[in-house]
Amino acid sequence: MKIGILGFQGGIKEHERMLKQLGVETRRIRYIQDLDKIDAMILPGGESTTMGIFLHNSGLLKPLKEAVEKGMPVLATCAGLILLAQEVEGLSFASLKVLPVRVRRNAYGRQKESFTTQINLSFDKARPFPGVFIRAPKIEKTLEDKVEVLSFLEEQPVMIRYGKIIGCTFHPELTSDTRVHKYFLQVISAKN
Ligand SMILES: NC(=O)CC[C@H](N)C(=O)O
């Protein structure tokens, strides 16, 4: 299995480190041909405006969108989730718009812009997960019943699944807890 990681900006190395630890090969996606021979992809956190500009300038926006629409599994963290969302408040750049949620960027306000807190994962209740939130967006609304919430923080979704798309508003790659990435590997391997 090989997982492509959108390789323009943001937490690329951290996802690579996590996947290496799980024995999975990675490839950075910068050009259209980098989409060949990958089984899944990760859209990392970082700065969604910058990534949106790169996506547009590289010509990757359309092929990425098509790959996801055809069923390629995606794990999107923070800014990556913003790039996938169908509705983003105050969005001034082109994005994939494949995930039926409405998100608000930088939604936790100044004093709480970055924080770590324990969150519960619906697929692994053994112990809480360290949720690292960095200028995180909020998922204000899910727009389809098929969007499953895998974790809540104060009654708001912070991890969701829509088919083979997993979105987190936090950064599992910045912890040493591999459970979110392992869950993604299960989603990739599942038949449907
Ligand atoms: N940690 C992150 O990915 C932050 C996302 C960033 N605030 C944005 O809107 O792009």
Side-chain angles (χ1 to χ4, degrees):
M1 183 197 296
K2 193 183 279 181
I3 299 186
I5 302 177
L6 189 63
F8 294 126
Q9 189 265 336
I12 304 160
K13 286 193 302 297
E14 291 79 2
H15 280 291
E16 286 172 343
R17 178 188 57 83
M18 193 62 117
L19 290 173
K20 194 171 174 199
Q21 202 180 326
L22 296 173
V24 179
E25 222 186 307
T26 58
R27 168 180 208 173
R28 293 192 183 190
I29 306 171
R30 290 211 188 97
Y31 303 99
I32 295 174
Q33 55 270 33
D34 296 332
L35 292 174
D36 291 346
K37 301 198 177 75
I38 58 168
D39 304 289
M41 61 189 170
I42 290 185
L43 305 183
E47 188 50 51
S48 52
T49 356
T50 310
M51 283 194 251
I53 292 167
F54 275 123
L55 276 181
H56 179 260
N57 293 347
S58 64
L60 265 169
L61 187 64
K62 195 163 167 247
L64 271 191
K65 183 177 165 75
E66 283 170 1
V68 181
E69 281 170 346
K70 279 192 198 135
M72 181 176 291
V74 193
L75 170 62
T77 51
C78 207
L81 170 72
I82 295 170
L83 292 174
L84 287 184
Q86 247 164 36
E87 294 182 14
V88 184
E89 276 174 53
L91 184 76
S92 56
F93 52 88
S95 66
L96 281 81
K97 299 197 181 356
V98 287
L99 179 61
V101 293
R102 182 166 76 216
V103 303
R104 185 151 60 90
R105 296 176 62 204
N106 304 322
Y108 286 91
R110 239 165 212 279
Q111 72 282 21
K112 279 176 78 186
E113 267 175 2
S114 302
F115 59 97
T116 302
T117 189
Q118 304 288 330
I119 53 176
N120 292 310
L121 304 174
S122 66
F123 54 89
D124 186 345
K125 298 196 172 82
R127 57 186 195 287
F129 190 89
V132 179
F133 293 81
I134 303 172
R135 299 201 306 119
K138 268 188 188 169
I139 299 170
E140 293 198 315
K141 199 170 188 315
T142 56
L143 305 171
E144 272 185 35
D145 291 344
K146 270 193 254 162
V147 179
E148 185 189 350
V149 179
L150 304 176
S151 182
F152 285 98
L153 175 64
E154 288 160 8
E155 287 162 32
Q156 218 138 16
V158 290
M159 180 172 182
I160 53 169
R161 174 173 177 177
Y162 178 67
K164 291 203 173 252
I165 304 177
I166 310 290
C168 301
T169 64
F170 56 95
H171 289 268
E173 76 285 6
L174 295 181
T175 71
S176 55
D177 194 321
T178 54
R179 284 179 290 161
V180 167
H181 287 77
K182 276 190 185 148
Y183 179 74
F184 182 46
L185 298 183
Q186 279 173 27
V187 168
I188 298 170
S189 308
K191 290 225 163 46
N192 46 40

